[in-house]
């Protein structure tokens, strides 16, 4: 597992994934700093959700499809690494980076860091969904088309609750 995680970290660093995630966090933080405090506080959860969604859909999917296109997935299929270990090695660094990237966004949005566990759980959910869908696709466009349905289902209830269309505690049981 250690070797697999080290390999994944090298791949993600070579692809500049950490720089992109932290750059995205810096961009959202810059937007929030420019907003008045009350507006920034309201906008912060939405920007965090978009940030987590972007990382989950684009990076996890793109890395998975790149593995299949380059033959890395086939090489790993014959390695002693089990599928669960490979998925853990792929998703763990992305989830950690996403959670770290949420810190400056929360600070710039004048929010407490109490939301970090929710960011980490949402990141894991979306990363796993994206990796699972990407594993069954041969190209990135097909992946993005296939991902739209499950993402719409996951985002519909939270957005409806946030704008007041749905009320009550039952809607908070939805994972996102």
């Amino acid at each position: 597992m250690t070797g697999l995680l080290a390999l994944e970290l090298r791949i993600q660093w070579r692809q500049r994934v950490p720089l992109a995630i932290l750059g995205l966090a810096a961009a959202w933080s810059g937007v929030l700093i420019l907003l008045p405090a009350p507006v920034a506080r309201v906008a912060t959860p939405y920007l965090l959700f978009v940030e987590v969604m972007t990382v989950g859909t684009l990076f996890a999917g793109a890395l998975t499809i790149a593995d299949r296109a380059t033959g890395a997935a086939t090489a790993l299929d014959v390695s002693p690494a089990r599928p669960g270990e490979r998925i853990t090695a792929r998703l763990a660094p992305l989830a950690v980076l996403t959670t770290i990237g949420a810190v400056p966004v929360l600070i710039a949005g004048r929010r407490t860091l109490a939301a970090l566990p929710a960011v980490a759980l949402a990141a894991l959910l979306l990363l796993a969904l994206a990796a699972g869908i990407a594993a069954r696709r041969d190209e990135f466009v097909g992946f993005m088309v296939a991902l739209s349905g499950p993402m719409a289902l996951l985002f519909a209830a939270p957005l409806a609750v946030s704008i007041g269309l749905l009320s009550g505690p039952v809607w908070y049981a939805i994972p996102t």
Side-chain angles (χ1 to χ4, degrees):
M1 186 63 192
T2 304
L4 194 57
L5 187 57
L7 172 67
E8 187 63 36
L9 289 171
R10 281 195 310 272
I11 290 169
Q12 290 183 20
W13 183 255
R14 188 177 326 123
Q15 297 295 330
R16 308 286 194 272
V17 172
L19 298 176
I21 291 171
L22 297 177
L24 182 61
W28 290 134
S29 298
V31 167
L32 290 170
I33 287 172
L34 295 174
L35 295 174
V39 175
R41 285 186 54 76
V42 170
T44 299
Y46 298 105
L47 290 180
L48 280 175
F49 204 62
V50 169
E51 181 177 352
V52 170
M53 181 187 73
T54 302
V55 172
T57 58
L58 299 181
F59 295 122
L63 288 168
T64 302
I65 290 171
D67 282 354
R68 292 185 71 214
T70 62
T74 304
L76 285 170
D77 284 343
V78 297
S79 77
R82 293 180 290 236
E85 294 172 336
R86 291 170 40 197
I87 291 169
T88 301
R90 165 70 37 91
L91 301 185
L94 289 173
V96 168
L97 281 170
T98 301
T99 305
I100 291 169
V103 171
V105 176
L106 286 168
I107 292 169
R110 291 101 168 160
R111 294 286 191 140
T112 67
L113 298 181
L116 286 179
V119 170
L121 290 173
L124 280 174
L125 171 70
L126 297 175
L127 288 166
L129 176 68
I133 291 173
R136 292 168 179 75
R137 298 290 179 253
D138 291 329
E139 53 188 45
F140 191 71
V141 173
F143 158 71
M144 292 300 290
V145 170
L147 187 66
S148 62
M151 284 295 180
L153 292 174
L154 285 173
F155 294 141
L159 290 174
V161 168
S162 69
I163 61 173
L165 292 177
L166 300 173
S167 63
V170 72
W171 300 110
Y172 290 93
I174 295 183
T176 47

